Amino acid sequence: MCGIVAYIGPKAAYPILINGLRRLEYRGYDSAGVAIIQDHNIVLYKRRGKVSDLEDYCMDKDMAACAGIAHTRWATHGEPNDENAHPHLSEDGKLALIHNGIVENYLVLKQELMRRGYTFRSNTDTEVLVHLIEDIYKNEQVDLAEAVRLALSGVVGTYALAILSAENPGQLIVAKRGSPLLIGVGDNEYFIGSDGAPIVEYTKQVIYLKDGEVAVVSPHREIVIKNSENETKRPYLEKLEISLEQLEKGNFDHYMLKEIFEQPNAIKDSMRGRINTQKNVVSLGGIIEYEEKMLNAHRFIIAACGTSWHAGLIGEYLFESLVRMPVEVEYASEFRYRNPVINEDDVLIVISQSGETADTLAALELAKSRGATTIGICNVVGSTLARNTHAGSYTHAGHETGVASTKAFTAQVTVLTLMALGLARKKGKIALSQYYQLINDLESIPGKIEKILTQNDYIKEIAQFVAQTKNAIYLGRGVNFPVALEGALKLKEISYIHAEGYPAAEMKHGPIALIDEAMPVIVLATEQETYEKVVSNIQEVKARKGKIISIVSQGDKLVKEMSDYAIEIPRTEELLTPLASCIPLQLLAYHVALLRGCDVDKPRNLAKSVSVE
Ligand code: F6R
């Protein structure tokens, strides 16, 4: 969703800002803007569309400045247009502000500010913030930072914001509650980012601002941070855990393709240091202190959204099969509003690539407030989810730029597998032989994925057929049912083809009505307990002339003969098949989207990190 970048220091600000906006594009946006300071005046340019449109617009302008703020906006309040793009200016034009998050009480604030004579140029919730700050700054005889703190005390909602002031050109003011904000510390210069992407090129030293904090950054001065109670807080420097290389496409045409091909290494990184190969023991350092709580839990609740929710569904199979403990998997967005029964002996596992998904964070807070133990599985180091859970495990998949999640998903499933294996062994629910077998098989997964990736050209051929359809059905059973959901989600989000995932046996209860000769049915038919049942489901589709694209185990003959296209994947323990069977579906979605001329890395309307509910 929206992205923030800001700079103050001796360098030319504009190139840093525009470069930062490009690095933030992956988050999803529909307009962009920049404000700089020149001769004690704020100069502002905003454009609907791409960052490149803003860049073209600024091409012939004088952009010389040593301080500036810039933003990519993903519309919530007010349509995507030039006026609604950030930054927003105060009435006197001396303050410019960019904001991520939502001001929930903006209507009340807006009415009051209008009554006081402020004019609103946009339909956004954000504009109230800049007028409110201006109002307090002018009337309360306080400095700007204090005016920001006082203004924010009256705001309901979430924000990460950066403010540029023509009267105070040597400083930037930033604040945060609910949305992430990082301050990169350079050599007498500061870089602000809503994540590490616009900062990492310049510095790896960062301060993660905490909720309620307001910071003043000025070159040649120490950062001043105050919390919502006006107490001074010491800045705490941390190392940014991403590399520039992770942010580049390398030799790949798209981030998504790069990230699909990175999966063998991402999975190895997820496992690194967590399997003692000499002793064949699984242990996740991040949860050791809470292992007893997990072992003695009454039940596990897994809450997540989208692809992470699909990983959670696979987690349910893993935990129930191996640990023999009850698991409920919840859409975080539903869970948070359902007044669910949560007890102190429940363990909530929240799964999130970004660690900033608003609904997942709200589910986490709800469970915490009811006394449950909370465990995070998260990719972004230092994210809100990672900070707010009792304990957790990072997925270590590396920065994921493509909006369609791929390597983060398989890394989540890897961590869930390790967690389930570790707990199952400690609880004595799994025979040593099965434990070793699963560990060995898990370690062989990266090599198996390498083999699947060699079929990229064949999958491209299959994509030619799927690209022509309007609908697609994905079927799977058991642990491959969530893979069917995930395959369908990948296809619809990047190619805009309507796709549904179903448990194969459910097809008879409705979706079978959709099947005709134009309908591709993608079936996960690897050799598992329900193989014969899936074969029957395939017969049912064929009897109605549906086209079968199957994912089968290497050497399979039966389903292969029944299929219009069959993709073979190496054999593996049934519980681990999702780690392999999802790969062809990711590649299929990628190639279909390309053939349909879609923007694979930045699908329409989608945001990488859904930080508003
Ligand atoms: C789909 C996708 C989304 C995310 C969902 C949750 O490819 O990426 O469905 O999985 O928005 O995001 P995180 O995992 O960041 O909480």
Side-chain angles (χ1 to χ4, degrees):
M1 283 191 154
C2 305
I4 281 178
V5 54
Y7 173 78
I8 190 159
K11 297 197 179 94
Y14 177 69
I16 294 170
L17 298 176
I18 211 79
N19 190 29
L21 289 184
R22 271 191 240 109
R23 296 248 182 253
L24 290 166
E25 282 189 296
Y26 81 96
R27 292 168 71 99
Y29 72 105
D30 38 53
S31 54
V34 57
I36 50 173
I37 296 231
Q38 286 177 336
D39 300 329
H40 290 267
N41 285 316
I42 288 178
V43 179
L44 172 75
Y45 300 110
K46 326 199 269 188
R47 270 289 171 268
R48 187 209 157 122
K50 301 273 177 201
V51 170
S52 55
D53 297 321
L54 176 72
E55 219 179 335
D56 290 348
Y57 186 59
C58 295
M59 190 88 85
D60 55 354
K61 315 271 190 305
D62 174 12
M63 299 304 289
C66 291
I69 58 178
H71 190 262
T72 47
R73 171 176 188 253
W74 188 88
T76 56
H77 296 62
E79 64 176 282
N81 59 28
D82 295 354
E83 289 72 37
N84 289 336
H86 300 206
H88 291 284
L89 288 181
S90 56
E91 190 76 23
D92 64 6
K94 291 188 173 161
L95 295 177
L97 178 146
I98 50 179
H99 166 227
N100 288 1
I102 287 193
V103 182
E104 287 171 17
N105 59 338
Y106 84 102
L107 265 181
V108 186
L109 295 172
K110 187 170 178 175
Q111 277 156 8
E112 175 58 19
L113 287 160
M114 283 169 80
R115 204 183 55 76
R116 286 166 175 253
Y118 289 90
T119 36
F120 281 78
R121 301 179 188 97
S122 77
N123 299 318
T124 64
D125 53 333
T126 297
E127 202 181 350
V128 298
L129 294 174
V130 72
H131 293 320
L132 187 63
I133 292 166
E134 176 182 24
D135 192 61
I136 294 176
Y137 184 48
K138 285 194 169 147
N139 295 313
E140 300 291 332
Q141 316 298 321
V142 291
D143 66 18
L144 186 56
E146 178 60 358
V148 171
R149 190 186 71 80
L150 290 173
L152 294 177
S153 66
V155 167
V156 178
T158 56
Y159 53 79
L161 50 89
I163 300 161
L164 197 61
S165 160
E167 285 180 6
N168 307 276
Q171 69 178 39
L172 286 177
I173 295 184
V174 293
K176 162 199 153 65
R177 189 207 290 154
S179 298
L181 199 80
L182 283 71
I183 304 172
V185 182
D187 197 6
N188 286 321
E189 58 184 351
Y190 294 102
F191 305 84
I192 312 295
S194 42
D195 63 37
I199 295 180
V200 65
E201 206 163 329
Y202 311 103
T203 178
K204 286 213 160 192
Q205 305 260 56
V206 292
I207 297 161
Y208 290 87
L209 214 60
K210 297 201 179 68
D211 277 349
E213 289 182 342
V214 176
V216 182
V217 295
S218 330
H220 304 288
R221 294 216 185 124
E222 290 289 309
I223 297 183
V224 179
I225 301 180
K226 298 233 173 137
N227 67 9
S228 52
E229 270 77 52
N230 207 17
E231 297 159 342
T232 303
K233 292 277 144 187
R234 262 177 65 150
Y236 179 60
L237 270 187
E238 294 183 49
K239 188 168 171 264
L240 198 54
E241 294 283 347
I242 51 172
S243 68
L244 197 54
E245 200 190 12
Q246 287 172 4
L247 302 180
E248 308 284 358
K249 271 197 286 229
N251 294 328
F252 290 89
D253 290 338
H254 296 95
Y255 285 106
M256 182 180 176
L257 191 63
K258 174 179 177 244
E259 286 158 8
I260 291 173
F261 274 79
E262 277 174 349
Q263 286 177 110
N265 283 334
I267 291 175
K268 279 186 207 158
D269 289 342
S270 298
M271 292 192 287
R272 198 179 311 285
R274 291 167 168 174
I275 301 174
N276 180 330
T277 33
Q278 254 120 55
K279 295 188 189 149
N280 247 347
V281 170
V282 173
S283 173
L284 290 158
I287 57 167
I288 279 181
E289 279 182 37
Y290 283 83
E291 215 165 52
E292 276 309 304
K293 286 252 181 210
M294 293 176 86
L295 290 168
N296 297 318
H298 165 65
R299 65 173 173 165
F300 288 96
I301 305 167
I302 301 180
C305 300
T307 287
S308 298
W309 183 75
H310 296 155
L313 288 177
I314 296 170
E316 182 178 21
Y317 284 91
L318 288 162
F319 274 63
E320 289 193 350
S321 302
L322 300 175
V323 197
R324 303 300 301 148
M325 284 173 79
V327 181
E328 282 166 34
V329 187
E330 300 272 0
Y331 281 117
S333 53
E334 289 298 313
F335 181 72
R336 63 180 291 194
Y337 285 116
R338 217 185 47 228
N339 191 15
V341 178
I342 310 170
N343 297 309
E344 285 178 9
D345 51 5
D346 286 332
V347 170
L348 177 86
I349 300 179
V350 271
I351 308 175
S352 173
Q353 187 286 129
S354 61
E356 303 297 344
T357 301
D359 286 320
T360 308
L361 294 177
L364 161 63
E365 290 313 319
L366 175 69
K368 250 167 99 176
S369 71
R370 306 261 174 103
T373 299
T374 57
I375 304 291
I377 295 180
C378 180
N379 197 36
V380 176
V381 175
S383 60
T384 309
L385 183 137
R387 285 162 190 275
N388 291 0
T389 38
H390 289 112
S393 297
Y394 283 119
T395 42
H396 295 308
H399 185 84
E400 191 176 65
T401 302
V403 166
S405 188
T406 52
K407 63 175 180 173
F409 171 71
T410 42
Q412 287 165 347
V413 175
T414 304
V415 169
L416 284 161
T417 310
L418 293 171
M419 230 177 235
L421 278 169
L423 293 174
R425 190 67 208 128
K426 290 236 160 72
K427 237 177 144 53
K429 295 285 180 190
I430 182 175
L432 210 52
S433 55
Q434 192 196 2
Y435 180 65
Y436 289 156
Q437 178 64 45
L438 280 164
I439 292 177
N440 284 338
D441 252 50
L442 186 60
E443 289 188 306
S444 72
I445 289 287
K448 290 177 180 170
I449 294 179
E450 300 275 9
K451 287 208 178 97
I452 299 170
L453 292 171
T454 62
Q455 298 184 69
N456 188 27
D457 286 341
Y458 174 51
I459 296 169
K460 207 163 161 180
E461 259 174 55
I462 305 175
Q464 306 264 7
F465 164 61
V466 180
Q468 289 155 30
T469 64
K470 288 203 171 89
N471 302 290
I473 292 182
Y474 286 70
L475 300 177
R477 288 199 78 157
V479 75
N480 271 311
F481 158 55
V483 180
L485 294 178
E486 175 59 8
L489 179 65
K490 287 289 90 92
L491 188 73
K492 68 184 127 187
E493 68 182 331
I494 59 169
S495 76
Y496 318 139
I497 291 176
H498 172 236
E500 296 292 342
Y502 270 95
E506 275 293 304
M507 187 183 59
K508 287 192 280 299
H509 301 283
I512 199 163
L514 296 170
I515 293 177
D516 59 18
E517 60 279 1
M519 176 68 88
V521 181
I522 296 104
V523 191
L524 291 137
T526 49
E527 273 178 21
Q528 56 188 75
E529 214 185 320
T530 49
Y531 178 75
E532 270 83 28
K533 312 269 178 214
V534 175
V535 170
S536 306
N537 298 137
I538 293 175
Q539 298 284 17
E540 289 156 8
V541 173
K542 280 187 75 70
R544 285 153 189 90
K545 300 198 166 43
K547 297 285 178 294
I548 300 289
I549 299 166
S550 60
I551 313 297
V552 296
S553 305
Q554 201 152 28
D556 178 286
K557 289 208 172 63
L558 183 61
V559 173
K560 227 175 150 183
E561 272 169 17
M562 294 161 69
S563 305
D564 296 271
Y565 301 95
I567 303 163
E568 289 189 50
I569 63 170
R571 284 162 191 272
T572 186
E573 279 284 319
E574 182 171 340
L575 272 175
L576 305 185
T577 44
L579 286 168
S581 60
C582 70
I583 310 291
L585 305 189
Q586 295 170 347
L587 283 170
L588 184 65
Y590 169 78
H591 288 299
V592 171
L594 267 196
L595 287 166
R596 289 166 65 90
C598 302
D599 189 346
V600 174
D601 285 330
K602 284 170 253 141
R604 67 185 181 204
N605 305 336
L606 292 179
K608 181 71 186 156
S609 154
V610 184
S611 49
V612 297
E613 59 169 298

